[in-house]
Amino acid sequence: MKNLLNMLSSLPERVYIAIFIAIFLISSVYAYILIDDARILDQRIAQKQQELDRIIKLKDLYLAKKRSFDRTTSKGKQESVISLTLLEEVITKSFIGGKLNMLKPSTIKEGKGGTIEVFDIKIGGAALGEIITCIKSLEVSGFFIKKLQLNMPAAGQTVIDMSATITGG
């Protein structure tokens, strides 16, 4: 330990000043690097905040347009009321030998709490060609066939009974 103290006391003051200047320069360079990194980090944070603001605005715009679209489609569903007269007219014009036995309105529940107005129909004693003509006429008039059931009664094998569920377009 005495050797170290003797060696340090024998060094001239210039060496101490050089060591002090070297330590000062190294710490100054290190502080400059840290300040530069902090400045770059602040710029990145500002960019990310601007991107976040833009994304939030886009999300709000998307949600507003989605709500608007949902309102217009729900209005369209509410306004598309099936005309019972048109449905009966299309069915009776399509059949010559067949007879409309039942035309019953009802509603079914759809997803999102909505309901759809549908009609259950039963036709008896019709030829296959008349049934095909009726289905084509219904689709051309804007109706959709949700369910269709064809039965052949045991008494007459040349006629068909039809049951269907129809909804509007």
Short mmCIF file of all heavy atoms in Angstrom, two decimals, residues 58-103:
data_model
loop_
_atom_site.label_atom_id
_atom_site.label_comp_id
_atom_site.label_asym_id
_atom_site.label_seq_id
_atom_site.Cartn_x
_atom_site.Cartn_y
_atom_site.Cartn_z
N LEU A 58 -59.71 6.21 -37.37
CA LEU A 58 -60.19 5.22 -38.34
C LEU A 58 -61.18 4.26 -37.70
O LEU A 58 -62.18 3.88 -38.32
CB LEU A 58 -59.01 4.45 -38.92
CG LEU A 58 -58.14 5.20 -39.92
CD1 LEU A 58 -56.91 4.37 -40.29
CD2 LEU A 58 -58.93 5.55 -41.17
N LYS A 59 -60.93 3.87 -36.45
CA LYS A 59 -61.86 2.98 -35.74
C LYS A 59 -63.21 3.65 -35.56
O LYS A 59 -64.25 3.05 -35.79
CB LYS A 59 -61.27 2.57 -34.39
CG LYS A 59 -62.18 1.63 -33.60
CD LYS A 59 -61.68 1.48 -32.20
CE LYS A 59 -62.70 2.11 -31.32
NZ LYS A 59 -62.45 2.24 -29.95
N ASP A 60 -63.18 4.93 -35.14
CA ASP A 60 -64.43 5.66 -34.96
C ASP A 60 -65.18 5.81 -36.28
O ASP A 60 -66.41 5.65 -36.33
CB ASP A 60 -64.16 7.04 -34.35
CG ASP A 60 -63.66 6.94 -32.91
OD1 ASP A 60 -63.88 5.89 -32.27
OD2 ASP A 60 -63.05 7.92 -32.44
N LEU A 61 -64.45 6.09 -37.34
CA LEU A 61 -65.08 6.21 -38.67
C LEU A 61 -65.68 4.88 -39.10
O LEU A 61 -66.81 4.83 -39.60
CB LEU A 61 -64.04 6.69 -39.69
CG LEU A 61 -64.53 6.85 -41.12
CD1 LEU A 61 -65.55 7.98 -41.21
CD2 LEU A 61 -63.36 7.12 -42.04
N TYR A 62 -64.94 3.78 -38.87
CA TYR A 62 -65.44 2.46 -39.22
C TYR A 62 -66.72 2.13 -38.44
O TYR A 62 -67.70 1.66 -39.01
CB TYR A 62 -64.37 1.40 -38.94
CG TYR A 62 -64.90 -0.02 -38.99
CD1 TYR A 62 -65.17 -0.63 -40.20
CD2 TYR A 62 -65.16 -0.72 -37.82
CE1 TYR A 62 -65.67 -1.92 -40.24
CE2 TYR A 62 -65.66 -2.00 -37.85
CZ TYR A 62 -65.91 -2.59 -39.07
OH TYR A 62 -66.41 -3.86 -39.10
N LEU A 63 -66.70 2.38 -37.12
CA LEU A 63 -67.87 2.08 -36.31
C LEU A 63 -69.07 2.93 -36.72
O LEU A 63 -70.20 2.44 -36.75
CB LEU A 63 -67.56 2.27 -34.83
CG LEU A 63 -66.58 1.25 -34.22
CD1 LEU A 63 -66.25 1.62 -32.78
CD2 LEU A 63 -67.15 -0.15 -34.30
N ALA A 64 -68.84 4.20 -37.07
CA ALA A 64 -69.94 5.06 -37.51
C ALA A 64 -70.53 4.54 -38.82
O ALA A 64 -71.75 4.47 -38.97
CB ALA A 64 -69.45 6.49 -37.67
N LYS A 65 -69.66 4.17 -39.75
CA LYS A 65 -70.17 3.64 -41.03
C LYS A 65 -70.86 2.30 -40.84
O LYS A 65 -71.86 2.02 -41.50
CB LYS A 65 -69.04 3.53 -42.03
CG LYS A 65 -68.58 4.88 -42.52
CD LYS A 65 -67.72 4.79 -43.73
CE LYS A 65 -67.38 6.20 -44.17
NZ LYS A 65 -67.11 6.30 -45.55
N LYS A 66 -70.34 1.49 -39.92
CA LYS A 66 -70.98 0.20 -39.66
C LYS A 66 -72.37 0.40 -39.06
O LYS A 66 -73.33 -0.26 -39.46
CB LYS A 66 -70.11 -0.63 -38.71
CG LYS A 66 -70.68 -2.01 -38.46
CD LYS A 66 -69.78 -2.82 -37.56
CE LYS A 66 -70.38 -4.18 -37.38
NZ LYS A 66 -70.52 -4.58 -36.03
N ARG A 67 -72.48 1.33 -38.10
CA ARG A 67 -73.80 1.62 -37.52
C ARG A 67 -74.76 2.14 -38.58
O ARG A 67 -75.92 1.76 -38.62
CB ARG A 67 -73.67 2.63 -36.39
CG ARG A 67 -73.30 1.99 -35.08
CD ARG A 67 -73.31 2.99 -33.94
NE ARG A 67 -71.93 3.10 -33.49
CZ ARG A 67 -71.19 4.19 -33.49
NH1 ARG A 67 -71.69 5.33 -33.87
NH2 ARG A 67 -69.94 4.16 -33.08
N SER A 68 -74.27 3.01 -39.45
CA SER A 68 -75.10 3.55 -40.52
C SER A 68 -75.55 2.45 -41.46
O SER A 68 -76.72 2.38 -41.84
CB SER A 68 -74.31 4.62 -41.30
OG SER A 68 -75.02 5.03 -42.43
N PHE A 69 -74.63 1.54 -41.82
CA PHE A 69 -74.98 0.43 -42.70
C PHE A 69 -75.98 -0.49 -42.03
O PHE A 69 -76.95 -0.93 -42.66
CB PHE A 69 -73.73 -0.34 -43.08
CG PHE A 69 -74.00 -1.55 -43.93
CD1 PHE A 69 -74.32 -1.40 -45.27
CD2 PHE A 69 -73.95 -2.82 -43.39
CE1 PHE A 69 -74.58 -2.50 -46.05
CE2 PHE A 69 -74.21 -3.93 -44.17
CZ PHE A 69 -74.53 -3.77 -45.51
N ASP A 70 -75.77 -0.78 -40.74
CA ASP A 70 -76.71 -1.65 -40.01
C ASP A 70 -78.09 -1.02 -39.95
O ASP A 70 -79.10 -1.72 -40.08
CB ASP A 70 -76.19 -1.93 -38.60
CG ASP A 70 -75.00 -2.88 -38.59
OD1 ASP A 70 -74.78 -3.55 -39.62
OD2 ASP A 70 -74.31 -2.95 -37.56
N ARG A 71 -78.14 0.31 -39.75
CA ARG A 71 -79.45 0.98 -39.72
C ARG A 71 -80.14 0.90 -41.07
O ARG A 71 -81.34 0.66 -41.14
CB ARG A 71 -79.29 2.43 -39.30
CG ARG A 71 -79.28 2.60 -37.80
CD ARG A 71 -79.27 4.05 -37.42
NE ARG A 71 -77.86 4.35 -37.12
CZ ARG A 71 -77.22 5.44 -37.43
NH1 ARG A 71 -77.85 6.41 -38.03
NH2 ARG A 71 -75.96 5.60 -37.14
N THR A 72 -79.39 1.09 -42.16
CA THR A 72 -80.02 1.04 -43.48
C THR A 72 -80.46 -0.37 -43.83
O THR A 72 -81.51 -0.55 -44.43
CB THR A 72 -79.08 1.57 -44.58
OG1 THR A 72 -77.87 0.82 -44.56
CG2 THR A 72 -78.79 3.04 -44.40
N THR A 73 -79.66 -1.38 -43.44
CA THR A 73 -80.09 -2.75 -43.74
C THR A 73 -81.27 -3.16 -42.87
O THR A 73 -82.14 -3.88 -43.32
CB THR A 73 -78.93 -3.75 -43.56
OG1 THR A 73 -78.41 -3.64 -42.25
CG2 THR A 73 -77.85 -3.52 -44.58
N SER A 74 -81.30 -2.69 -41.61
CA SER A 74 -82.45 -3.04 -40.77
C SER A 74 -83.71 -2.33 -41.27
O SER A 74 -84.79 -2.89 -41.21
CB SER A 74 -82.17 -2.71 -39.30
OG SER A 74 -82.08 -1.31 -39.12
N LYS A 75 -83.57 -1.10 -41.78
CA LYS A 75 -84.72 -0.41 -42.36
C LYS A 75 -85.19 -1.14 -43.60
O LYS A 75 -86.38 -1.28 -43.84
CB LYS A 75 -84.38 1.03 -42.72
CG LYS A 75 -84.26 1.94 -41.53
CD LYS A 75 -83.92 3.35 -41.97
CE LYS A 75 -83.72 4.26 -40.78
NZ LYS A 75 -83.30 5.61 -41.19
N GLY A 76 -84.23 -1.64 -44.38
CA GLY A 76 -84.60 -2.38 -45.59
C GLY A 76 -85.35 -3.65 -45.27
O GLY A 76 -86.29 -4.03 -45.94
N LYS A 77 -84.96 -4.31 -44.18
CA LYS A 77 -85.66 -5.53 -43.78
C LYS A 77 -87.05 -5.20 -43.26
O LYS A 77 -87.98 -5.93 -43.51
CB LYS A 77 -84.87 -6.26 -42.69
CG LYS A 77 -83.65 -6.97 -43.20
CD LYS A 77 -82.97 -7.70 -42.09
CE LYS A 77 -81.71 -8.40 -42.60
NZ LYS A 77 -81.00 -9.08 -41.52
N GLN A 78 -87.18 -4.08 -42.56
CA GLN A 78 -88.49 -3.73 -42.03
C GLN A 78 -89.43 -3.30 -43.15
O GLN A 78 -90.61 -3.52 -43.09
CB GLN A 78 -88.35 -2.61 -41.00
CG GLN A 78 -87.64 -3.04 -39.75
CD GLN A 78 -87.32 -1.86 -38.85
OE1 GLN A 78 -87.54 -0.71 -39.22
NE2 GLN A 78 -86.78 -2.15 -37.69
N GLU A 79 -88.89 -2.66 -44.19
CA GLU A 79 -89.74 -2.15 -45.25
C GLU A 79 -90.13 -3.24 -46.25
O GLU A 79 -91.05 -3.06 -47.03
CB GLU A 79 -89.00 -1.02 -45.98
CG GLU A 79 -88.84 0.21 -45.13
CD GLU A 79 -87.95 1.25 -45.78
OE1 GLU A 79 -87.50 1.00 -46.92
OE2 GLU A 79 -87.72 2.29 -45.16
N SER A 80 -89.42 -4.36 -46.26
CA SER A 80 -89.73 -5.41 -47.22
C SER A 80 -90.86 -6.28 -46.68
O SER A 80 -90.64 -7.39 -46.24
CB SER A 80 -88.50 -6.25 -47.53
OG SER A 80 -88.11 -6.94 -46.37
N VAL A 81 -92.04 -5.77 -46.69
CA VAL A 81 -93.22 -6.48 -46.21
C VAL A 81 -93.77 -7.30 -47.38
O VAL A 81 -93.90 -6.81 -48.50
CB VAL A 81 -94.28 -5.49 -45.69
CG1 VAL A 81 -95.53 -6.23 -45.25
CG2 VAL A 81 -93.71 -4.67 -44.56
N ILE A 82 -94.06 -8.54 -47.08
CA ILE A 82 -94.59 -9.43 -48.12
C ILE A 82 -96.03 -9.04 -48.42
O ILE A 82 -96.85 -8.90 -47.52
CB ILE A 82 -94.52 -10.89 -47.66
CG1 ILE A 82 -93.07 -11.30 -47.41
CG2 ILE A 82 -95.15 -11.80 -48.67
CD1 ILE A 82 -92.92 -12.68 -46.85
N SER A 83 -96.30 -8.88 -49.67
CA SER A 83 -97.67 -8.57 -50.08
C SER A 83 -98.44 -9.88 -50.21
O SER A 83 -98.15 -10.71 -51.06
CB SER A 83 -97.65 -7.82 -51.41
OG SER A 83 -98.95 -7.71 -51.91
N LEU A 84 -99.42 -10.05 -49.34
CA LEU A 84 -100.23 -11.27 -49.35
C LEU A 84 -101.01 -11.40 -50.65
O LEU A 84 -101.15 -12.48 -51.20
CB LEU A 84 -101.18 -11.26 -48.14
CG LEU A 84 -102.09 -12.47 -47.97
CD1 LEU A 84 -101.25 -13.73 -47.78
CD2 LEU A 84 -103.01 -12.28 -46.79
N THR A 85 -101.47 -10.28 -51.18
CA THR A 85 -102.23 -10.29 -52.43
C THR A 85 -101.36 -10.76 -53.58
O THR A 85 -101.79 -11.58 -54.40
CB THR A 85 -102.78 -8.88 -52.72
OG1 THR A 85 -103.41 -8.37 -51.56
CG2 THR A 85 -103.77 -8.90 -53.86
N LEU A 86 -100.12 -10.22 -53.66
CA LEU A 86 -99.21 -10.62 -54.73
C LEU A 86 -98.88 -12.10 -54.62
O LEU A 86 -98.87 -12.82 -55.63
CB LEU A 86 -97.93 -9.78 -54.67
CG LEU A 86 -96.84 -10.15 -55.66
CD1 LEU A 86 -97.31 -9.93 -57.09
CD2 LEU A 86 -95.57 -9.37 -55.38
N LEU A 87 -98.63 -12.57 -53.40
CA LEU A 87 -98.31 -13.98 -53.20
C LEU A 87 -99.46 -14.88 -53.64
O LEU A 87 -99.27 -15.85 -54.37
CB LEU A 87 -97.97 -14.22 -51.72
CG LEU A 87 -97.58 -15.64 -51.34
CD1 LEU A 87 -96.32 -16.07 -52.06
CD2 LEU A 87 -97.39 -15.73 -49.84
N GLU A 88 -100.67 -14.53 -53.24
CA GLU A 88 -101.84 -15.34 -53.62
C GLU A 88 -102.06 -15.30 -55.13
O GLU A 88 -102.38 -16.32 -55.74
CB GLU A 88 -103.07 -14.84 -52.88
CG GLU A 88 -104.28 -15.71 -53.08
CD GLU A 88 -105.48 -15.25 -52.27
OE1 GLU A 88 -105.40 -14.21 -51.60
OE2 GLU A 88 -106.49 -15.96 -52.31
N GLU A 89 -101.84 -14.15 -55.72
CA GLU A 89 -102.02 -14.02 -57.17
C GLU A 89 -101.03 -14.87 -57.94
O GLU A 89 -101.40 -15.56 -58.91
CB GLU A 89 -101.86 -12.54 -57.56
CG GLU A 89 -102.09 -12.25 -59.02
CD GLU A 89 -101.92 -10.77 -59.31
OE1 GLU A 89 -102.42 -9.93 -58.53
OE2 GLU A 89 -101.27 -10.46 -60.32
N VAL A 90 -99.76 -14.85 -57.52
CA VAL A 90 -98.73 -15.66 -58.21
C VAL A 90 -99.06 -17.14 -58.08
O VAL A 90 -98.94 -17.89 -59.04
CB VAL A 90 -97.33 -15.33 -57.63
CG1 VAL A 90 -96.29 -16.33 -58.10
CG2 VAL A 90 -96.91 -13.93 -57.98
N ILE A 91 -99.49 -17.55 -56.89
CA ILE A 91 -99.78 -18.97 -56.67
C ILE A 91 -100.99 -19.42 -57.49
O ILE A 91 -100.96 -20.46 -58.16
CB ILE A 91 -99.99 -19.25 -55.17
CG1 ILE A 91 -98.67 -19.08 -54.42
CG2 ILE A 91 -100.54 -20.65 -54.94
CD1 ILE A 91 -98.80 -19.14 -52.92
N THR A 92 -102.06 -18.66 -57.47
CA THR A 92 -103.27 -19.09 -58.19
C THR A 92 -103.09 -19.05 -59.70
O THR A 92 -103.69 -19.85 -60.42
CB THR A 92 -104.48 -18.21 -57.80
OG1 THR A 92 -104.16 -16.84 -57.99
CG2 THR A 92 -104.89 -18.47 -56.37
N LYS A 93 -102.26 -18.15 -60.23
CA LYS A 93 -102.01 -18.12 -61.68
C LYS A 93 -101.18 -19.31 -62.13
O LYS A 93 -101.27 -19.72 -63.29
CB LYS A 93 -101.29 -16.82 -62.07
CG LYS A 93 -102.19 -15.63 -62.13
CD LYS A 93 -101.42 -14.42 -62.63
CE LYS A 93 -102.32 -13.22 -62.73
NZ LYS A 93 -101.59 -12.02 -63.18
N SER A 94 -100.37 -19.87 -61.23
CA SER A 94 -99.48 -20.96 -61.61
C SER A 94 -100.19 -22.30 -61.68
O SER A 94 -99.71 -23.21 -62.35
CB SER A 94 -98.32 -21.07 -60.61
OG SER A 94 -97.57 -19.88 -60.58
N PHE A 95 -101.30 -22.44 -60.97
CA PHE A 95 -101.95 -23.75 -60.89
C PHE A 95 -103.25 -23.78 -61.67
O PHE A 95 -104.10 -22.91 -61.55
CB PHE A 95 -102.21 -24.12 -59.43
CG PHE A 95 -100.95 -24.37 -58.66
CD1 PHE A 95 -100.45 -23.42 -57.79
CD2 PHE A 95 -100.26 -25.56 -58.82
CE1 PHE A 95 -99.29 -23.64 -57.09
CE2 PHE A 95 -99.10 -25.79 -58.12
CZ PHE A 95 -98.60 -24.82 -57.26
N ILE A 96 -103.37 -24.87 -62.43
CA ILE A 96 -104.61 -25.11 -63.15
C ILE A 96 -105.36 -26.24 -62.45
O ILE A 96 -106.53 -26.10 -62.09
CB ILE A 96 -104.33 -25.50 -64.62
CG1 ILE A 96 -103.62 -24.35 -65.33
CG2 ILE A 96 -105.60 -25.90 -65.35
CD1 ILE A 96 -103.08 -24.68 -66.68
N GLY A 97 -104.66 -27.36 -62.22
CA GLY A 97 -105.32 -28.50 -61.58
C GLY A 97 -105.11 -28.50 -60.07
O GLY A 97 -105.90 -29.09 -59.34
N GLY A 98 -104.09 -27.86 -59.58
CA GLY A 98 -103.81 -27.87 -58.15
C GLY A 98 -104.70 -26.88 -57.41
O GLY A 98 -105.28 -25.97 -57.99
N LYS A 99 -104.82 -27.10 -56.11
CA LYS A 99 -105.69 -26.27 -55.30
C LYS A 99 -104.90 -25.74 -54.10
O LYS A 99 -104.19 -26.48 -53.43
CB LYS A 99 -106.87 -27.11 -54.82
CG LYS A 99 -107.84 -26.37 -53.96
CD LYS A 99 -108.97 -27.28 -53.51
CE LYS A 99 -109.85 -26.56 -52.52
NZ LYS A 99 -110.78 -27.47 -51.89
N LEU A 100 -105.02 -24.44 -53.83
CA LEU A 100 -104.38 -23.82 -52.69
C LEU A 100 -105.19 -24.19 -51.45
O LEU A 100 -106.31 -23.74 -51.26
CB LEU A 100 -104.33 -22.30 -52.87
CG LEU A 100 -103.71 -21.49 -51.74
CD1 LEU A 100 -102.24 -21.85 -51.55
CD2 LEU A 100 -103.84 -20.01 -52.00
N ASN A 101 -104.63 -25.04 -50.60
CA ASN A 101 -105.34 -25.50 -49.41
C ASN A 101 -105.09 -24.59 -48.20
O ASN A 101 -105.98 -24.45 -47.36
CB ASN A 101 -104.89 -26.92 -49.04
CG ASN A 101 -105.34 -27.93 -50.07
OD1 ASN A 101 -106.31 -27.72 -50.80
ND2 ASN A 101 -104.60 -29.02 -50.18
N MET A 102 -103.88 -24.00 -48.12
CA MET A 102 -103.59 -23.18 -46.95
C MET A 102 -102.59 -22.08 -47.33
O MET A 102 -101.65 -22.30 -48.06
CB MET A 102 -102.97 -24.04 -45.83
CG MET A 102 -102.63 -23.24 -44.59
SD MET A 102 -101.81 -24.19 -43.30
CE MET A 102 -100.17 -24.30 -43.93
N LEU A 103 -102.86 -20.88 -46.82
CA LEU A 103 -101.95 -19.75 -46.95
C LEU A 103 -101.95 -19.06 -45.59
O LEU A 103 -102.88 -18.34 -45.26
CB LEU A 103 -102.40 -18.80 -48.06
CG LEU A 103 -101.57 -17.55 -48.29
CD1 LEU A 103 -100.13 -17.89 -48.61
CD2 LEU A 103 -102.16 -16.73 -49.42
#
